[in-house]
Each structure stands twice: as structure tokens, then as C-alpha cells.
Amino acid sequence: MGLPTFPQPVKLFIALLSPDPEFFRLAVTRLQKDYGPIDLESNVFPWTTTNYYRDEMGENLLRQFLSFAELRPPEDLVQLKIETNALEFTLSGATSSESPRHINLDPGYIDSAKLVLASTKNQAHRLYLSQGIYAEVTLLYHHKAFHPFIYTYEDYRWPETHAFLRQVRKRYLEQIRVGKK
């Protein structure tokens, strides 16, 4: 008979998407108040993957990734997704769900074997967590590299994204080794 085991803490990260990097700064300032300092930030990349957000956010979108210094329990992902959704709404000055969105914040976490993203949308490959939040394993880490699945978003397949995520994973493993939360 198996006994329940509790996971090690994980490294939370956020993928930011906006046509205006000023919204990155505003979001980071707010997120650091709740989740502590940022320890790694990627370069800002032009996001030309799809037109999915064009009607909602406009053109010339930019993508940036960042990770938080403090390791957290993986179940914190639910609250982080709820809070990032609320922050998107606030930063957009939204008065309804039909208002234009100025920033998209996609939280997730990295552990030694995978990258997990949170979502409010159910799909066949997503598991329900709680409070209307789902999660998916977006990338598998195996043989010293991240590997996508058939459903992995295109920007999580980019070499630049993988290079940044390897840095995040390396920092995570260092933190786990020294027992630093």
C-alpha cells in the first residue's frame, strides 16, 4: 500500500505578454509584494507566434519570463493564478470581462522534472486543481533538455525560452540542494 508523500517546494514563474513593457514593470511591482523578489528575468522577446490575442491586446506583443526567488509549495499555483487574473483585470482598468486586456500573466512552476502551467480552461490534458483552476505539464525535463508535448504552446518551444528555463531549473536545483526556501 502506498502512503501519501508530499512534494518538494517548487520555483514559481510568470510569463508576461503585453504590447507595452511598462505593464511588465507594473505587474512585477505588485507580484513582488505578494510573492517576494524576482531572481531571474528573461530578455524581452517579440511574440509573433499566433494572432490569438490580436483582437484583445493589439499587435506587436512582447513576451518576458521571470521567476521568484522563494520556493513555494506547488499548491500555491492556484492562488497565484487567481491573483494574476485579478491583476490583469486591474492593470487593464477593466470594467467588464469584455474590456481590452493590456497584459496577460501566465503563472506556472518548475521542479526538477517538469514545467507546469496554470489555466482557467479545461482541456483533455489538464487536471483540475481547485477554485476553477487547472494545470498542465507543458514541458518535460529529460536527458538534460526540456521536451514539449503535442499541446505545448509555441513560445514554450523556442530555444530562447528553453535557455531561460534551464537557468531557472539550475537555480531551483541549487536552492533545493542547500535547503533554501
Side-chain angles (χ1 to χ4, degrees):
M1 174 173 71
L3 297 175
T5 58
F6 294 95
Q8 290 188 311
V10 297
K11 191 143 190 81
L12 296 177
F13 77 91
I14 304 248
L16 303 94
L17 184 71
S18 178
D20 183 353
E22 176 63 15
F23 284 102
F24 293 174
R25 188 190 64 75
L26 293 170
V28 167
T29 298
R30 170 68 188 280
L31 289 165
Q32 287 186 106
K33 288 180 184 175
D34 295 330
Y35 292 90
I38 303 301
D39 63 352
L40 294 169
E41 292 183 50
S42 74
N43 292 326
V44 175
F45 306 108
W47 194 77
T48 57
T49 301
T50 177
N51 293 326
Y52 181 81
Y53 291 104
R54 182 183 293 168
D55 291 343
E56 191 177 16
M57 298 178 73
E59 297 187 28
N60 303 315
L61 296 178
L62 303 169
R63 168 66 90 199
Q64 185 177 32
F65 298 92
L66 53 86
S67 67
F68 295 96
E70 183 181 344
L71 300 183
R72 306 288 286 254
E75 58 267 25
D76 283 5
L77 184 59
V78 170
Q79 192 59 37
L80 180 57
K81 180 61 177 172
I82 290 167
E83 290 176 7
T84 55
N85 279 4
L87 183 55
E88 285 181 16
F89 199 75
T90 299
L91 290 177
S92 294
T95 55
S96 78
S97 60
E98 304 300 315
S99 297
R101 182 161 49 159
H102 298 298
I103 189 165
N104 174 272
L105 302 169
D106 287 325
Y109 69 74
I110 287 181
D111 67 16
S112 62
K114 63 190 168 295
L115 177 142
V116 174
L117 283 178
S119 179
T120 58
K121 300 171 197 81
N122 188 17
Q123 293 292 331
H125 61 280
R126 293 184 179 148
L127 300 175
Y128 183 71
L129 299 178
S130 71
Q131 301 180 61
I133 306 301
Y134 299 82
E136 70 177 48
V137 176
T138 300
L139 294 170
L140 165 72
Y141 193 84
H142 183 65
H143 292 296
K144 300 182 182 182
F146 283 102
H147 300 278
F149 296 96
I150 60 170
Y151 54 80
T152 299
Y153 296 114
E154 192 62 34
D155 50 338
Y156 284 86
R157 297 169 184 263
W158 293 346
E160 303 92 337
T161 301
H162 285 207
F164 174 72
L165 295 174
R166 282 191 303 273
Q167 291 175 14
V168 174
R169 183 179 180 275
K170 180 180 177 186
R171 174 77 50 90
Y172 168 74
L173 293 174
E174 291 167 355
Q175 290 176 282
I176 289 293
R177 264 186 236 119
V178 298
K180 180 181 175 186
K181 284 191 169 191

